[in-house]
Each structure stands twice: as C-alpha cells, then as structure tokens.
Amino acid sequence: MRARRVGFPSVPPSVAPTNGDASPAGRAYSFLACSRLGADSACCGFDPSEEAMSLASEMFRDDRRLQECLLHDRAHLTEGTVGPFVNKVQDALFVIDGLRCVPEERRLQRYGPSTAAAVHSFKKRRRIINRSYQTQADDIVGKMTIDALDKALVEKERQCRPVVHVAGARAKAVASVPGDRRRPNGPLPPAGARAALIGAPVSAPSNLSPAGVAMTRAPGAAALVNLARRRLGAMMQFHAHPTLPLPPGIMPSFDALWACFGLPVFPKNSPLLPGQTNQAVKSIADFLRVVDDVYERAVRHLAQANTLFHDPAGPVPEFDGAHAFTLTTPRKPGEPAPSAAFPDGCFFNPRYLAGAEGPVGTRKQMVVALHECVHFVQNDNIADNATQTLSSAHGYSDFVIFCAFGRMAISDSE
C-alpha cells in the first residue's frame, strides 16, 4: 500500500473517535483502519494516525469534504450533492478516463445524472463493488471510489512530472509532449492581451457595400479563428496526454466546447465527409480533430474573401432579415438557382451593416464573416439548424466567441 501524505487532518477532532470508542462512528473508524492499514493494527490497540488515512493527490488532498468522503458513509457523494468538491470529482473523471459531464452540472457544481453516469462507468471499468451487499457497480462516490480516484490521480501526477536529462553539470527538463505544429501554438494569452493578437479594427470606408465591408473584416475573422485553433491545440494535447495540475483554463475550454456542440456521444457524423450518416467521429480525439479541421478550412475561405464574398443581386426571401447567407451546389428549396448573379459563395445583406437598433459593430461583422465561411465548408453540410452536433455552424462561431472574448454570445453593436 502506498504511503499517504502527512499533514492534512482527514476528519475534524470533534468527529475522529478516540481509541476504545464504542460508538457507531468509532466502530466504523476502527473497521476502516483495519481494512486500510492491516487487520491487526486497530485490533491490537494501535490508534492509526489520521494522516495515514488521508487522500494524497494534489487535486483532492486539501479538500476537507472529499477527505470526509474517504472516512464516513454519511459523506458519500450521491446524485443531488452540490459543492465545489463535485467539480474536482468531475475533473478527475475526465483526466483519468476521459469521462464527460454536462456543462450545466459543472457550472452548478452539481452531482447530476451525467456525473452519476460517469462515476458508474469509472466504477464498472475497475469493478469497484462492495461484495458484502452488491453484485454490480453503483453511481455513488463512497470510500472505495474516492480512494480509487485518488490513487489514479497520484499515478497520473507521477507520470506528468517532467523528465530531467543530466549531461555533465547541466540538467535540462524536457517536456513530455511536443507541440502540434499543424495549428497556432503557444500558451493562451490573458484576456486583456487578446485584442493585440486579433489586431485593431479596420475602419471600412463608408462607400463600401456589405460584401466590401466583409472583405475588410476577413483578416480579423481569421485571427479570431486562430485563437480558437490555439486553444484546440492545447485541448488536443491535454486529451492525448493529461497533465496535473490542470493547465489554467483547460476544463472551462472543454465545458465551452460541450456547450457549443453538445456532450459527445459516439459515433457521430463528420461534416467533412460526403453525406451526414458516415459515423466517422468515434472518439474525443476525432471530435477535436474535426472541429479544428473545419476551422482550418474556414481560414482558407476567409483568405479568398475577395472572390468568395458577394452582394446579393436581388432579394432572397429565404434569407430576408439575415446578416448574411451562403449558397452552395446543390441548392436547397427556396434558394436561387446557380447563375452568374448567384454563384456559390457567401452573400452579405444590408443588415450586415445596420439593423433596427443601429450600426453593426466590427466584432459582430468579423464573427458573421467567419460563420458564413464555416457554412461554406464541405458544400454547406454545416447548417444553422443541424441535427448533428458537429454540423452546427453556430457551434463553431460560438466557440470562437468564447475563445476570443470569454463568453458565448456577442451583440450586434459590438
């Protein structure tokens, strides 16, 4: 049995029983001491130290509520439990086994149905069953489960320590995972520094048409997408090789991605392949890769704005009131037939410049431009009203908004 970290009291002095305590709490404490430290330790009058019974991982060890879960049946975590310690269990499930919990449960710090399902999956994989009264795993975090989570985290922390190579008198710490050079790399900048990466808004001449203004917004839109791709690169690396302590912002990034596209349940269809029944997305790694590939193609389309962006040659009732719309071949019912007036491309209505509440802001115009370029990927398989999560154009633009501005929506005036 591995040594436990010394120095954190697992239960308050008022709760921890003394040697010879015959109360139910005392008997439970003695039984737990016997089972964890050897059958004859408590029975021979040995009073084990609380430190020997405390959680050891960096994620859990300073949380009194989880420490109590290790010691007391009354402190089990069950569906409906609420508190910041629930987030730590949710984080651990993802780091250890890639098990997802819905963003709403994480936001509310609530042990809800998806958290219970993740716990059940964790326990089923490891056969965590109390054989004295169970025949199968349940969805409760009790003593055995919190101990198994803690041990798995300790092992993960051990694996995440940097490797040090010594050559002569010099020592060099080597990162265990190289960066992915397919996308913009580097740590995410602080929110206040992102404006510099995006660039100052370009003032569009007042005589430009909606498509002309959109062309001036394309470079800024590409910069926004690259911020999202940088974050996706960090998420891909973390998912392939989870590290502890958790990198800053990594779990909110996954929460935002699940909020934009839905909690992934596999298999899913890739919008990058013909048809929408290919079921090619079979894992979180596939999920992240498809999102990144869509963004990479959208950036390529933004670079072709001068030929891809158009002003409508006439009204299109199907898109009346929209900022913009995208046409591809084959056309859908209600869309104009392919012609010199309406080629495949992205079309920008007067609404792109101003609406009933006033002028449309630069940020909104950049987001609309990238949103339409996402539509253009793979013949508009990516739709506004998509039934498949990875085919939602709003999901792609909303995640970009999150990565650039730290929220999930942007107003027309921004």
Side-chain angles (χ1 to χ4, degrees):
M1 181 174 287
R2 62 188 170 86
R4 294 287 186 172
R5 176 180 178 265
V6 175
F8 187 88
S10 36
V11 293
S14 60
V15 174
T18 58
N19 208 20
D21 185 353
S23 68
R27 288 195 299 271
Y29 186 90
S30 297
F31 173 80
L32 185 59
C34 290
S35 64
R36 292 178 63 87
L37 299 177
D40 58 349
S41 58
C43 300
C44 295
F46 175 69
D47 186 13
S49 67
E50 290 181 347
E51 290 82 358
M53 301 180 61
S54 61
L55 301 172
S57 65
E58 290 185 23
M59 189 181 293
F60 286 175
R61 66 191 181 196
D62 293 329
D63 193 298
R64 181 174 292 275
R65 179 64 175 80
L66 296 182
Q67 295 281 3
E68 291 177 352
C69 181
L70 177 67
L71 294 171
H72 305 295
D73 291 338
R74 66 174 182 270
H76 286 180
L77 308 186
T78 59
E79 194 166 338
T81 303
V82 177
F85 51 89
V86 173
N87 278 163
K88 295 181 182 180
V89 171
Q90 292 165 336
D91 289 348
L93 291 166
F94 185 73
V95 169
I96 296 165
D97 278 352
L99 298 168
R100 287 88 61 196
C101 303
V102 298
E104 185 70 2
E105 290 179 19
R106 289 181 47 77
R107 185 181 68 81
L108 296 175
Q109 301 178 333
R110 185 177 183 82
Y111 195 120
S114 74
T115 304
V119 169
H120 179 262
S121 180
F122 175 85
K123 297 178 73 168
K124 186 176 180 181
R125 293 178 187 183
R126 290 163 178 78
R127 296 182 163 286
I128 300 176
I129 301 170
N130 190 329
R131 301 291 179 180
S132 65
Y133 66 94
Q134 290 180 317
T135 58
Q136 59 186 9
D138 59 26
D139 58 7
I140 295 171
V141 175
K143 300 171 184 175
M144 296 168 63
T145 309
I146 199 68
D147 184 56
L149 285 165
D150 185 58
K151 287 178 178 176
L153 286 172
V154 168
E155 177 60 21
K156 186 71 69 174
E157 289 165 358
R158 186 191 65 77
Q159 295 171 358
C160 292
R161 293 191 183 98
V163 179
V164 178
H165 296 283
V166 179
R170 298 177 61 191
K172 181 180 180 181
V174 180
S176 58
V177 183
D180 188 333
R181 292 182 171 83
R182 294 191 311 118
R183 66 188 56 78
N185 284 313
L188 289 171
R194 290 176 189 166
L197 287 175
I198 298 169
V202 177
S203 297
S206 58
N207 62 340
L208 287 180
S209 68
V213 172
M215 292 175 195
T216 70
R217 302 306 184 216
L224 292 178
V225 176
N226 282 333
L227 278 176
R229 297 191 71 214
R230 176 179 293 186
R231 187 176 293 263
L232 277 168
M235 294 165 71
M236 288 180 181
Q237 182 167 320
F238 177 81
H239 178 257
H241 303 278
T243 56
L244 292 171
L246 293 171
I250 198 69
M251 295 311 296
S253 298
F254 280 101
D255 288 344
L257 195 67
W258 307 154
C260 290
F261 294 102
L263 197 67
V265 179
F266 305 110
K268 287 201 169 297
N269 301 325
S270 169
L272 301 178
L273 298 174
Q276 285 293 283
T277 58
N278 51 72
Q279 295 193 325
V281 182
K282 303 182 187 304
S283 66
I284 292 179
D286 291 343
F287 191 107
L288 296 171
R289 191 180 309 110
V290 167
V291 174
D292 185 61
D293 286 346
V294 168
Y295 282 142
E296 190 273 334
R297 296 185 192 199
V299 169
R300 275 191 268 158
H301 293 326
L302 286 164
Q304 301 167 8
N306 288 344
T307 57
L308 189 63
F309 289 2
H310 308 281
D311 293 298
V316 181
E318 179 75 9
F319 302 107
D320 185 36
H323 294 92
F325 59 93
T326 296
L327 296 176
T328 61
T329 302
R331 299 293 166 91
K332 298 179 177 65
E335 296 179 349
S339 65
F342 285 103
D344 286 356
C346 304
F347 294 80
F348 294 83
N349 289 326
R351 174 80 175 78
Y352 183 74
L353 301 182
E357 298 181 357
V360 176
T362 301
R363 288 180 173 180
K364 181 69 172 186
Q365 290 175 338
M366 289 191 291
V367 170
V368 170
L370 74 87
H371 179 92
E372 295 306 320
C373 284
V374 166
H375 272 307
F376 202 70
V377 172
Q378 189 57 32
N379 292 335
D380 203 17
N381 274 351
I382 300 175
D384 283 326
N385 300 314
T387 56
Q388 298 295 328
T389 60
L390 287 181
S391 301
S392 169
H394 284 298
Y396 290 94
S397 51
D398 288 351
F399 188 67
V400 166
I401 293 170
F402 167 79
C403 293
F405 309 117
R407 45 198 163 89
M408 303 295 286
I410 191 168
S411 67
D412 265 17
S413 62
E414 293 185 70

